[in-house]
Amino acid sequence: MYKKRYLTLSHFLHRQFGCRVYKIPVNAGFTCPNRDGTVGTGGCTFCYNPSFSPVADTPAKSIREQILEYKTRLSHRKRQAKYLAYFQSYTNTYAPPNVLRSLYREALSVPDVVGLCIGTRPDCVPNPVLNVIEEYARDHHVWLEYGLQSIHNKTLRLINRGHTAEDFLDAVSRTKGRGIYICAHVILGLPGETLQDMLTTARALNDVGVDGVKIHHLQIIRHTKIAEDYLAGKNIDTLSVDEYVHLVCTFLEHLSPEIVIHRLCGEVLAGEMLLAPVWNLPKTDIINKIDKELNRRGSYQGSRVNP
Ligand code: SF4
């Protein structure tokens, strides 16, 4: 019986495929227009890809080799499993359509890979690129994951996203109706944002009709612009684990119950890459705290969505 008070990706995929479905991160060698000078050079202020992508620094190996290696590592866990190839590092639609077509095709040629998750920016999905993704979505399970972080342009400017909320709304409206699942990434606890600002983001995601949300907490990670500011003594607040648990539960309560939850907190980094907040807790403990808090409240995803 399904016991969670929110709709997890693993449950959603299990319902569709009847077995466990793993995401396998791959690095297709992309860069990002917010780093190479096309949109900007410094990147988003919080971003250091190696901190959240286990393959960000993967030496050149083919997509197929990367997936096969990862599958081998997972093979002890379950006999019957399927896989989604997760194009994770940087901006995975940032190439001409024919190049993208061949990379996605290579991933889908690996046995038991039933679909794709493609991480990208809302300003990097021209219609010819969406046409390619739509082709694959006809016969496969395909998620397009848009980095958004916040629906507020003042915040997007502050964190140097290099795109606007309107770019996101436009990308989503051009993606809808193509059989592609749409996921938005958000960060809770961004500088200057109030609880009401974050709940406005939740409501905007409901209104625009995304299919999934990946929720992170703000982490200050070395080699980022926000870390420079933090180390220089600028006042940048981060959340305690209890503050975050309260916040994410309230966020979930305001999110449509139809939206699939891909993630509930940022990768909980340890070691010297993470400057703050240092929680010293494994991710499972944080998820348990979130589950407990929703139980304590007697609430669930969508319980405070206005009809
Ligand atoms: S978060 Fe994404 S869009 Fe921003 S700099 Fe990093 S790779 Fe580029």
Side-chain angles (χ1 to χ4, degrees):
M1 199 178 77
Y2 187 62
K3 293 206 184 102
K4 295 280 189 185
R5 288 173 176 260
Y6 46 89
L7 177 57
T8 65
L9 179 64
S10 59
H11 178 73
F12 178 76
L13 292 173
H14 200 285
R15 235 171 30 194
Q16 294 215 6
F17 292 97
C19 65
R20 184 74 197 259
V21 181
Y22 293 98
K23 283 172 84 168
I24 297 186
V26 295
N27 183 343
F30 291 105
T31 177
C32 164
N34 202 19
R35 293 185 166 274
D36 71 2
T38 303
V39 170
T41 48
C44 306
T45 59
F46 57 85
C47 170
Y48 179 56
N49 258 249
S51 72
F52 60 82
S53 169
V55 294
D57 283 335
T58 300
K61 279 186 187 163
S62 73
I63 302 286
R64 191 178 173 83
E65 281 173 316
Q66 292 177 53
I67 297 174
L68 286 171
E69 269 181 24
Y70 208 96
K71 269 181 76 179
T72 308
R73 267 185 268 150
L74 288 174
S75 58
H76 65 283
R77 293 208 194 163
K78 279 255 176 206
R79 263 185 306 166
Q80 204 211 355
K82 303 281 182 205
Y83 305 92
L84 301 176
Y86 182 18
F87 287 78
Q88 182 180 26
S89 307
Y90 301 102
T91 302
N92 295 274
T93 55
Y94 192 33
N98 58 326
V99 175
L100 297 173
R101 182 179 286 110
S102 115
L103 290 168
Y104 302 153
R105 185 192 305 128
E106 183 180 344
L108 289 166
S109 74
V110 179
D112 295 323
V113 173
V114 291
L116 305 169
C117 299
I118 302 166
T120 191
R121 296 168 52 85
D123 60 353
C124 206
V125 284
N127 285 335
V129 164
L130 289 177
N131 293 343
V132 169
I133 298 171
E134 181 181 357
E135 281 170 28
Y136 289 109
R138 282 187 204 124
D139 299 320
H140 300 88
H141 187 97
V142 178
W143 284 91
L144 193 48
E145 299 191 14
Y146 287 121
L148 169 66
Q149 320 313 346
S150 164
I151 202 66
H152 303 283
N153 282 330
K154 69 175 167 69
T155 308
L156 298 181
R157 275 193 298 275
L158 191 69
I159 62 176
N160 196 38
R161 281 292 299 172
H163 67 76
T164 61
E166 290 72 24
D167 290 326
F168 170 75
L169 299 175
D170 170 59
V172 171
S173 79
R174 287 184 298 104
T175 308
K176 283 183 95 66
R178 292 173 177 267
I180 303 167
Y181 291 102
I182 302 167
C183 177
H185 294 197
V186 298
I187 298 178
L188 301 185
L190 283 167
E193 291 223 332
T194 63
L195 172 63
Q196 284 314 315
D197 289 333
M198 293 178 250
L199 297 184
T200 301
T201 296
R203 284 189 282 267
L205 296 177
N206 297 342
D207 292 346
V208 76
V210 298
D211 305 290
V213 173
K214 192 178 262 187
I215 308 168
H216 306 79
H217 62 290
L218 177 67
Q219 296 189 102
I220 312 287
I221 294 160
R222 283 189 197 278
H223 314 295
T224 62
K225 174 70 172 67
I226 202 168
E228 265 175 41
D229 292 346
Y230 182 84
L231 290 170
K234 290 202 182 151
N235 187 19
I236 298 170
D237 290 330
T238 57
L239 298 160
S240 72
V241 66
D242 289 339
E243 286 169 332
Y244 181 69
V245 166
H246 276 265
L247 183 53
V248 77
C249 288
T250 306
F251 190 87
L252 284 171
E253 289 167 352
H254 286 81
L255 207 56
S256 158
E258 317 283 317
I259 293 179
V260 179
I261 307 300
H262 286 230
R263 178 187 283 280
L264 273 175
C265 62
E267 276 304 317
V268 183
L269 299 169
E272 56 173 37
M273 224 192 278
L274 177 66
L275 293 174
V278 179
W279 293 346
N280 282 324
L281 280 178
K283 196 161 86 180
T284 45
D285 286 12
I286 297 162
I287 305 291
N288 287 340
K289 278 174 174 280
I290 293 168
D291 290 347
K292 259 193 188 166
E293 174 62 13
L294 287 171
N295 275 332
R296 188 192 68 76
R297 295 184 186 189
S299 68
Y300 48 87
Q301 181 183 345
S303 58
R304 292 165 81 179
V305 173
N306 292 328

PDB file of all heavy atoms in Angstrom, residues 106-132:
ATOM      1  N   GLU A 106      21.183   7.021 -28.925  1.00  0.00           N
ATOM      2  CA  GLU A 106      22.207   6.122 -28.373  1.00  0.00           C
ATOM      3  C   GLU A 106      21.799   5.647 -26.969  1.00  0.00           C
ATOM      4  O   GLU A 106      21.912   4.468 -26.640  1.00  0.00           O
ATOM      5  CB  GLU A 106      23.556   6.846 -28.310  1.00  0.00           C
ATOM      6  CG  GLU A 106      24.675   5.944 -27.807  1.00  0.00           C
ATOM      7  CD  GLU A 106      26.022   6.656 -27.743  1.00  0.00           C
ATOM      8  OE1 GLU A 106      26.172   7.733 -28.346  1.00  0.00           O
ATOM      9  OE2 GLU A 106      26.910   6.110 -27.065  1.00  0.00           O
ATOM     10  N   ALA A 107      21.301   6.579 -26.155  1.00  0.00           N
ATOM     11  CA  ALA A 107      20.885   6.197 -24.792  1.00  0.00           C
ATOM     12  C   ALA A 107      19.752   5.176 -24.844  1.00  0.00           C
ATOM     13  O   ALA A 107      19.738   4.185 -24.103  1.00  0.00           O
ATOM     14  CB  ALA A 107      20.451   7.433 -24.013  1.00  0.00           C
ATOM     15  N   LEU A 108      18.812   5.413 -25.739  1.00  0.00           N
ATOM     16  CA  LEU A 108      17.635   4.535 -25.794  1.00  0.00           C
ATOM     17  C   LEU A 108      17.938   3.189 -26.438  1.00  0.00           C
ATOM     18  O   LEU A 108      17.115   2.274 -26.380  1.00  0.00           O
ATOM     19  CB  LEU A 108      16.505   5.250 -26.557  1.00  0.00           C
ATOM     20  CG  LEU A 108      15.888   6.419 -25.787  1.00  0.00           C
ATOM     21  CD1 LEU A 108      15.028   7.282 -26.706  1.00  0.00           C
ATOM     22  CD2 LEU A 108      15.068   5.920 -24.605  1.00  0.00           C
ATOM     23  N   SER A 109      19.124   3.067 -27.027  1.00  0.00           N
ATOM     24  CA  SER A 109      19.481   1.791 -27.656  1.00  0.00           C
ATOM     25  C   SER A 109      19.982   0.769 -26.626  1.00  0.00           C
ATOM     26  O   SER A 109      20.139  -0.398 -26.936  1.00  0.00           O
ATOM     27  CB  SER A 109      20.564   2.004 -28.716  1.00  0.00           C
ATOM     28  OG  SER A 109      21.805   2.255 -28.076  1.00  0.00           O
ATOM     29  N   VAL A 110      20.233   1.226 -25.394  1.00  0.00           N
ATOM     30  CA  VAL A 110      20.733   0.302 -24.367  1.00  0.00           C
ATOM     31  C   VAL A 110      19.553  -0.517 -23.828  1.00  0.00           C
ATOM     32  O   VAL A 110      18.493   0.053 -23.520  1.00  0.00           O
ATOM     33  CB  VAL A 110      21.416   1.086 -23.210  1.00  0.00           C
ATOM     34  CG1 VAL A 110      21.925   0.126 -22.135  1.00  0.00           C
ATOM     35  CG2 VAL A 110      22.555   1.942 -23.751  1.00  0.00           C
ATOM     36  N   PRO A 111      19.722  -1.843 -23.713  1.00  0.00           N
ATOM     37  CA  PRO A 111      18.609  -2.670 -23.231  1.00  0.00           C
ATOM     38  C   PRO A 111      18.056  -2.180 -21.892  1.00  0.00           C
ATOM     39  O   PRO A 111      18.827  -1.777 -21.016  1.00  0.00           O
ATOM     40  CB  PRO A 111      19.248  -4.057 -23.074  1.00  0.00           C
ATOM     41  CG  PRO A 111      20.393  -4.041 -24.026  1.00  0.00           C
ATOM     42  CD  PRO A 111      20.902  -2.631 -24.070  1.00  0.00           C
ATOM     43  N   ASP A 112      16.757  -2.231 -21.762  1.00  0.00           N
ATOM     44  CA  ASP A 112      16.021  -1.856 -20.552  1.00  0.00           C
ATOM     45  C   ASP A 112      15.983  -0.355 -20.268  1.00  0.00           C
ATOM     46  O   ASP A 112      15.471   0.067 -19.230  1.00  0.00           O
ATOM     47  CB  ASP A 112      16.542  -2.593 -19.303  1.00  0.00           C
ATOM     48  CG  ASP A 112      16.295  -4.082 -19.394  1.00  0.00           C
ATOM     49  OD1 ASP A 112      15.240  -4.472 -19.931  1.00  0.00           O
ATOM     50  OD2 ASP A 112      17.172  -4.851 -18.960  1.00  0.00           O
ATOM     51  N   VAL A 113      16.569   0.453 -21.141  1.00  0.00           N
ATOM     52  CA  VAL A 113      16.399   1.906 -20.997  1.00  0.00           C
ATOM     53  C   VAL A 113      15.063   2.252 -21.655  1.00  0.00           C
ATOM     54  O   VAL A 113      14.900   2.107 -22.865  1.00  0.00           O
ATOM     55  CB  VAL A 113      17.568   2.685 -21.634  1.00  0.00           C
ATOM     56  CG1 VAL A 113      17.273   4.189 -21.629  1.00  0.00           C
ATOM     57  CG2 VAL A 113      18.858   2.398 -20.871  1.00  0.00           C
ATOM     58  N   VAL A 114      14.130   2.682 -20.819  1.00  0.00           N
ATOM     59  CA  VAL A 114      12.760   2.890 -21.305  1.00  0.00           C
ATOM     60  C   VAL A 114      12.438   4.362 -21.543  1.00  0.00           C
ATOM     61  O   VAL A 114      11.335   4.699 -21.957  1.00  0.00           O
ATOM     62  CB  VAL A 114      11.726   2.299 -20.315  1.00  0.00           C
ATOM     63  CG1 VAL A 114      11.813   0.781 -20.310  1.00  0.00           C
ATOM     64  CG2 VAL A 114      11.927   2.867 -18.911  1.00  0.00           C
ATOM     65  N   GLY A 115      13.398   5.226 -21.244  1.00  0.00           N
ATOM     66  CA  GLY A 115      13.096   6.632 -21.451  1.00  0.00           C
ATOM     67  C   GLY A 115      14.256   7.536 -21.121  1.00  0.00           C
ATOM     68  O   GLY A 115      15.371   7.083 -20.832  1.00  0.00           O
ATOM     69  N   LEU A 116      13.945   8.837 -21.123  1.00  0.00           N
ATOM     70  CA  LEU A 116      14.971   9.864 -20.940  1.00  0.00           C
ATOM     71  C   LEU A 116      14.502  10.884 -19.904  1.00  0.00           C
ATOM     72  O   LEU A 116      13.305  11.164 -19.818  1.00  0.00           O
ATOM     73  CB  LEU A 116      15.194  10.631 -22.245  1.00  0.00           C
ATOM     74  CG  LEU A 116      15.536   9.842 -23.502  1.00  0.00           C
ATOM     75  CD1 LEU A 116      15.453  10.767 -24.716  1.00  0.00           C
ATOM     76  CD2 LEU A 116      16.929   9.237 -23.379  1.00  0.00           C
ATOM     77  N   CYS A 117      15.456  11.435 -19.177  1.00  0.00           N
ATOM     78  CA  CYS A 117      15.218  12.668 -18.418  1.00  0.00           C
ATOM     79  C   CYS A 117      16.262  13.650 -18.934  1.00  0.00           C
ATOM     80  O   CYS A 117      17.455  13.324 -18.951  1.00  0.00           O
ATOM     81  CB  CYS A 117      15.421  12.467 -16.921  1.00  0.00           C
ATOM     82  SG  CYS A 117      14.314  11.262 -16.206  1.00  0.00           S
ATOM     83  N   ILE A 118      15.811  14.809 -19.349  1.00  0.00           N
ATOM     84  CA  ILE A 118      16.714  15.755 -20.010  1.00  0.00           C
ATOM     85  C   ILE A 118      16.690  17.062 -19.227  1.00  0.00           C
ATOM     86  O   ILE A 118      15.665  17.755 -19.184  1.00  0.00           O
ATOM     87  CB  ILE A 118      16.262  15.992 -21.469  1.00  0.00           C
ATOM     88  CG1 ILE A 118      16.232  14.661 -22.233  1.00  0.00           C
ATOM     89  CG2 ILE A 118      17.183  16.993 -22.158  1.00  0.00           C
ATOM     90  CD1 ILE A 118      15.479  14.743 -23.566  1.00  0.00           C
ATOM     91  N   GLY A 119      17.799  17.385 -18.582  1.00  0.00           N
ATOM     92  CA  GLY A 119      17.873  18.621 -17.800  1.00  0.00           C
ATOM     93  C   GLY A 119      18.291  19.775 -18.697  1.00  0.00           C
ATOM     94  O   GLY A 119      19.249  19.670 -19.462  1.00  0.00           O
ATOM     95  N   THR A 120      17.558  20.888 -18.593  1.00  0.00           N
ATOM     96  CA  THR A 120      17.896  22.023 -19.454  1.00  0.00           C
ATOM     97  C   THR A 120      17.417  23.334 -18.856  1.00  0.00           C
ATOM     98  O   THR A 120      16.900  23.373 -17.740  1.00  0.00           O
ATOM     99  CB  THR A 120      17.317  21.828 -20.876  1.00  0.00           C
ATOM    100  OG1 THR A 120      17.897  22.821 -21.727  1.00  0.00           O
ATOM    101  CG2 THR A 120      15.799  21.954 -20.905  1.00  0.00           C
ATOM    102  N   ARG A 121      17.624  24.409 -19.636  1.00  0.00           N
ATOM    103  CA  ARG A 121      17.172  25.741 -19.261  1.00  0.00           C
ATOM    104  C   ARG A 121      15.944  26.106 -20.096  1.00  0.00           C
ATOM    105  O   ARG A 121      15.847  25.692 -21.250  1.00  0.00           O
ATOM    106  CB  ARG A 121      18.255  26.780 -19.584  1.00  0.00           C
ATOM    107  CG  ARG A 121      19.533  26.660 -18.840  1.00  0.00           C
ATOM    108  CD  ARG A 121      20.597  27.565 -19.477  1.00  0.00           C
ATOM    109  NE  ARG A 121      20.177  28.941 -19.665  1.00  0.00           N
ATOM    110  CZ  ARG A 121      20.255  29.896 -18.738  1.00  0.00           C
ATOM    111  NH1 ARG A 121      20.766  29.611 -17.545  1.00  0.00           N
ATOM    112  NH2 ARG A 121      19.852  31.120 -18.984  1.00  0.00           N
ATOM    113  N   PRO A 122      15.056  26.939 -19.552  1.00  0.00           N
ATOM    114  CA  PRO A 122      13.852  27.295 -20.318  1.00  0.00           C
ATOM    115  C   PRO A 122      14.153  28.102 -21.572  1.00  0.00           C
ATOM    116  O   PRO A 122      13.316  28.158 -22.474  1.00  0.00           O
ATOM    117  CB  PRO A 122      13.025  28.141 -19.344  1.00  0.00           C
ATOM    118  CG  PRO A 122      13.650  27.984 -18.012  1.00  0.00           C
ATOM    119  CD  PRO A 122      15.035  27.487 -18.189  1.00  0.00           C
ATOM    120  N   ASP A 123      15.319  28.744 -21.633  1.00  0.00           N
ATOM    121  CA  ASP A 123      15.623  29.551 -22.820  1.00  0.00           C
ATOM    122  C   ASP A 123      16.453  28.775 -23.834  1.00  0.00           C
ATOM    123  O   ASP A 123      17.070  29.359 -24.705  1.00  0.00           O
ATOM    124  CB  ASP A 123      16.366  30.840 -22.410  1.00  0.00           C
ATOM    125  CG  ASP A 123      17.673  30.547 -21.692  1.00  0.00           C
ATOM    126  OD1 ASP A 123      17.958  29.366 -21.393  1.00  0.00           O
ATOM    127  OD2 ASP A 123      18.427  31.509 -21.422  1.00  0.00           O
ATOM    128  N   CYS A 124      16.456  27.455 -23.712  1.00  0.00           N
ATOM    129  CA  CYS A 124      17.313  26.656 -24.584  1.00  0.00           C
ATOM    130  C   CYS A 124      16.525  25.515 -25.233  1.00  0.00           C
ATOM    131  O   CYS A 124      17.061  24.424 -25.419  1.00  0.00           O
ATOM    132  CB  CYS A 124      18.484  26.121 -23.751  1.00  0.00           C
ATOM    133  SG  CYS A 124      19.935  25.773 -24.725  1.00  0.00           S
ATOM    134  N   VAL A 125      15.263  25.795 -25.540  1.00  0.00           N
ATOM    135  CA  VAL A 125      14.433  24.752 -26.165  1.00  0.00           C
ATOM    136  C   VAL A 125      13.674  25.315 -27.371  1.00  0.00           C
ATOM    137  O   VAL A 125      12.438  25.398 -27.376  1.00  0.00           O
ATOM    138  CB  VAL A 125      13.434  24.112 -25.167  1.00  0.00           C
ATOM    139  CG1 VAL A 125      14.128  23.146 -24.248  1.00  0.00           C
ATOM    140  CG2 VAL A 125      12.686  25.180 -24.381  1.00  0.00           C
ATOM    141  N   PRO A 126      14.397  25.687 -28.423  1.00  0.00           N
ATOM    142  CA  PRO A 126      13.676  26.122 -29.628  1.00  0.00           C
ATOM    143  C   PRO A 126      12.795  24.992 -30.144  1.00  0.00           C
ATOM    144  O   PRO A 126      13.041  23.817 -29.846  1.00  0.00           O
ATOM    145  CB  PRO A 126      14.808  26.454 -30.609  1.00  0.00           C
ATOM    146  CG  PRO A 126      16.010  25.743 -30.095  1.00  0.00           C
ATOM    147  CD  PRO A 126      15.843  25.620 -28.609  1.00  0.00           C
ATOM    148  N   ASN A 127      11.808  25.352 -30.934  1.00  0.00           N
ATOM    149  CA  ASN A 127      10.851  24.325 -31.388  1.00  0.00           C
ATOM    150  C   ASN A 127      11.499  23.146 -32.117  1.00  0.00           C
ATOM    151  O   ASN A 127      11.074  22.006 -31.920  1.00  0.00           O
ATOM    152  CB  ASN A 127       9.754  24.974 -32.248  1.00  0.00           C
ATOM    153  CG  ASN A 127       8.781  25.740 -31.370  1.00  0.00           C
ATOM    154  OD1 ASN A 127       8.634  25.439 -30.183  1.00  0.00           O
ATOM    155  ND2 ASN A 127       8.137  26.745 -31.939  1.00  0.00           N
ATOM    156  N   PRO A 128      12.529  23.355 -32.958  1.00  0.00           N
ATOM    157  CA  PRO A 128      13.148  22.177 -33.602  1.00  0.00           C
ATOM    158  C   PRO A 128      13.713  21.185 -32.585  1.00  0.00           C
ATOM    159  O   PRO A 128      13.688  19.970 -32.815  1.00  0.00           O
ATOM    160  CB  PRO A 128      14.256  22.790 -34.467  1.00  0.00           C
ATOM    161  CG  PRO A 128      13.788  24.184 -34.745  1.00  0.00           C
ATOM    162  CD  PRO A 128      13.054  24.616 -33.502  1.00  0.00           C
ATOM    163  N   VAL A 129      14.196  21.688 -31.460  1.00  0.00           N
ATOM    164  CA  VAL A 129      14.691  20.791 -30.404  1.00  0.00           C
ATOM    165  C   VAL A 129      13.515  20.054 -29.754  1.00  0.00           C
ATOM    166  O   VAL A 129      13.554  18.843 -29.525  1.00  0.00           O
ATOM    167  CB  VAL A 129      15.502  21.592 -29.360  1.00  0.00           C
ATOM    168  CG1 VAL A 129      15.693  20.799 -28.078  1.00  0.00           C
ATOM    169  CG2 VAL A 129      16.858  21.996 -29.943  1.00  0.00           C
ATOM    170  N   LEU A 130      12.439  20.785 -29.486  1.00  0.00           N
ATOM    171  CA  LEU A 130      11.258  20.131 -28.909  1.00  0.00           C
ATOM    172  C   LEU A 130      10.699  19.082 -29.867  1.00  0.00           C
ATOM    173  O   LEU A 130      10.205  18.035 -29.439  1.00  0.00           O
ATOM    174  CB  LEU A 130      10.186  21.176 -28.569  1.00  0.00           C
ATOM    175  CG  LEU A 130      10.519  22.085 -27.379  1.00  0.00           C
ATOM    176  CD1 LEU A 130       9.420  23.126 -27.193  1.00  0.00           C
ATOM    177  CD2 LEU A 130      10.699  21.281 -26.094  1.00  0.00           C
ATOM    178  N   ASN A 131      10.814  19.349 -31.172  1.00  0.00           N
ATOM    179  CA  ASN A 131      10.326  18.358 -32.147  1.00  0.00           C
ATOM    180  C   ASN A 131      11.090  17.046 -32.018  1.00  0.00           C
ATOM    181  O   ASN A 131      10.510  15.959 -32.100  1.00  0.00           O
ATOM    182  CB  ASN A 131      10.472  18.887 -33.582  1.00  0.00           C
ATOM    183  CG  ASN A 131       9.560  20.067 -33.850  1.00  0.00           C
ATOM    184  OD1 ASN A 131       8.614  20.307 -33.101  1.00  0.00           O
ATOM    185  ND2 ASN A 131       9.852  20.824 -34.903  1.00  0.00           N
ATOM    186  N   VAL A 132      12.413  17.137 -31.799  1.00  0.00           N
ATOM    187  CA  VAL A 132      13.227  15.926 -31.647  1.00  0.00           C
ATOM    188  C   VAL A 132      12.803  15.166 -30.384  1.00  0.00           C
ATOM    189  O   VAL A 132      12.601  13.944 -30.408  1.00  0.00           O
ATOM    190  CB  VAL A 132      14.735  16.292 -31.539  1.00  0.00           C
ATOM    191  CG1 VAL A 132      15.559  15.079 -31.120  1.00  0.00           C
ATOM    192  CG2 VAL A 132      15.237  16.847 -32.853  1.00  0.00           C
TER     193      VAL A 132
END
